[in-house]
């Protein structure tokens, strides 16, 4: 007969796990994971082997979950005062601090073990990746460049994918790094416009809070122009073909549309621009790289 105490603990663990996955918005892995997959296809010069592909997937989901859960824990005292975030599970008490801490540690361990299974370079760089992803949670407290710091965290994805199978560094990796950095910074600035008044009153730093709405939209546009430039340069450096450049062109059209539906007079479509359009760009980029490498 199964012990009811054990069953209750397992049930409680499962419920908490579902809550924490909802809290960290696990579906937002769509932003970084496709770029990691693009990197592994480029590093493999074709189809990657099954084991590295699986380990890369585990590593990416683990570090993304680590970073998001850490951010929620670090921001709990801020979230409780923000009308937009005070319904988060840690704030309401639906999720405990102790379970979230356990989840963060578990994700960090899983990430390091996955990196260990890939190669020595990935293992040596894994502590840096964890520290860098955790530091983002504090940047809003002292610099309006926090959006670019977040961009640098996600921008490690194509490099991580590439070195997971080819632990050497190539100029194309760093050009993609900056392409992703500016892409993320651009849409994070748009997302941060929702909290500009709260951030300003609370003493937090962000471009919308410090510079206002109009300048923020201009800087976001500038970021996405840089995205297009760096993705094009990365394609030339990696010797990509027609399919890749076609996909970059389509991505640019999506970015133009993203900025056309948002203005200082109408910010109602920020969430659609943030998730739907940018999610489409990351997936499109991956398929463009994959098809180009395989043909």
């Amino acid at each position: 007969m199964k012990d009811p105490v054990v069953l209750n603990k397992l049930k409680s663990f499962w419920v908490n796990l579902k809550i924490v996955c909802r809290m960290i918005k696990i579906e937002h892995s769509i932003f970084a994971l496709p770029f990691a997959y693009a990197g592994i296809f480029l590093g493999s010069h074709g189809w990657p082997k099954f084991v590295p592909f699986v380990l890369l997937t585990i590593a990416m989901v683990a570090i993304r979950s680590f970073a998001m859960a850490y951010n929620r824990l670090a921001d709990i005292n801020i979230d409780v005062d923000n009308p937009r975030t005070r319904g988060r599970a840690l704030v309401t008490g639906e999720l405990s601090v102790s379970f979230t801490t356990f989840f963060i540690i578990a994700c960090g361990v899983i990430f390091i073990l996955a990196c260990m299974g890939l190669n020595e370079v990935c293992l040596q760089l894994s502590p840096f990746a964890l520290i860098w992803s955790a530091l983002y949670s504090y940047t809003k407290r002292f610099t309006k460049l926090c959006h670019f710091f977040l961009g640098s965290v996600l921008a490690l994805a194509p490099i991580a994918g590439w070195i997971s199978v080819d632990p050497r560094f190539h100029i194309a990796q760093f050009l993609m790094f900056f392409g992703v950095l500016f892409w993320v910074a651009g849409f994070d600035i748009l997302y941060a416009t929702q909290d500009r008044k709260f951030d300003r009153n609370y003493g937090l730093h962000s471009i919308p809070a410090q510079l206002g709405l109009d300048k923020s939209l201009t800087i976001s546009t500038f970021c996405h122009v840089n995205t297009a430039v760096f993705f094009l340069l990365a394609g030339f450096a990696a010797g990509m073909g027609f399919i890749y450049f076609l996909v970059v062109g389509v991505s640019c059209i999506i970015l133009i549309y993203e900025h056309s539906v948002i203005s200082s007079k109408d910010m109602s479509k920020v969430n659609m621009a943030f998730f739907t359009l940018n999610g489409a760009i990351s997936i499109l980029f991956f398929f463009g790289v994959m098809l180009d490498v395989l043909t």
Side-chain angles (χ1 to χ4, degrees):
M1 181 180 295
K2 296 181 179 179
D3 189 337
V5 176
V6 174
L7 289 176
N8 285 334
K9 287 184 177 180
L10 289 174
K11 183 179 178 181
S12 176
F13 178 83
W14 177 246
V15 170
N16 284 328
L17 186 61
K18 289 194 292 184
I19 294 172
V20 78
C21 287
R22 187 176 75 243
M23 179 187 71
I24 65 173
K25 297 184 182 296
I26 196 71
E27 67 274 13
H28 285 190
S29 296
I30 196 174
F31 293 132
L33 193 56
F35 285 100
Y37 286 161
I40 196 173
F41 269 84
L42 286 166
S44 301
H45 304 289
W47 286 104
K49 293 181 179 179
F50 178 75
V51 172
F53 185 85
V54 171
L55 288 174
L56 175 66
T57 303
I58 293 171
M60 290 299 299
V61 173
I63 193 170
R64 195 264 169 195
S65 300
F66 167 91
M68 283 297 294
Y70 190 93
N71 177 261
R72 295 292 185 260
L73 192 58
D75 282 355
I76 187 171
N77 292 328
I78 297 173
D79 288 345
V80 72
D81 293 324
N82 188 339
R84 188 179 66 82
T85 59
R86 61 176 54 142
R88 288 175 174 170
L90 266 172
V91 176
T92 63
E94 186 181 8
L95 191 67
S96 69
V97 170
S98 59
F99 184 86
T100 304
T101 302
F102 167 78
F103 180 81
I104 291 169
I105 295 172
C107 287
V109 171
I110 291 170
F111 173 72
I112 291 174
L113 291 175
C115 290
M116 184 185 300
L118 287 167
N119 55 59
E120 186 64 26
V121 172
C122 290
L123 176 60
Q124 290 176 355
L125 292 176
S126 60
F128 164 79
L130 288 172
I131 293 170
W132 197 250
S133 64
L135 282 177
Y136 160 70
S137 298
Y138 302 104
T139 55
K140 203 172 183 178
R141 291 162 169 80
F142 63 86
T143 176
K144 61 179 175 288
L145 298 179
C146 52
H147 316 284
F148 297 92
F149 196 100
L150 175 63
S152 73
V153 174
L154 272 70
L156 294 174
I159 298 179
W162 195 313
I163 67 173
S164 69
V165 290
D166 180 11
R168 296 174 297 176
F169 294 101
H170 189 281
I171 184 63
Q173 298 171 6
F174 297 99
L175 292 170
M176 285 188 183
F177 171 91
F178 284 107
V180 176
L181 185 155
F182 281 109
W183 171 64
V184 173
F187 72 68
D188 190 59
I189 291 170
L190 294 179
Y191 191 72
T193 59
Q194 300 175 100
D195 292 330
R196 64 188 184 279
K197 293 180 181 178
F198 172 82
D199 289 347
R200 190 181 303 122
N201 294 333
Y202 208 85
L204 296 174
H205 299 266
S206 72
I207 285 177
Q210 299 291 308
L211 301 181
L213 190 54
D214 288 326
K215 289 183 179 179
S216 297
L217 295 179
T218 300
I219 294 171
S220 176
T221 301
F222 172 75
C223 286
H224 285 156
V225 170
N226 281 331
T227 295
V229 171
F230 278 109
F231 280 166
L232 288 173
L233 291 175
F236 287 120
M240 305 302 288
F242 173 76
I243 296 176
Y244 174 86
F245 291 106
L246 176 63
V247 164
V248 171
V250 173
S251 298
C252 290
I253 293 173
I254 295 174
L255 287 173
I256 292 171
Y257 175 71
E258 177 179 328
H259 287 274
S260 72
V261 300
I262 297 176
S263 70
S264 57
K265 296 180 180 179
D266 183 9
M267 299 296 293
S268 61
K269 296 181 179 178
V270 166
N271 283 317
M272 183 270 287
F274 171 73
F275 184 72
T276 306
L277 296 180
N278 287 293
I281 288 172
S282 62
I283 293 174
L284 186 64
F285 185 89
F286 161 61
F287 278 107
V289 169
M290 180 184 70
L291 292 174
D292 202 306
V293 168
L294 296 177
T295 55

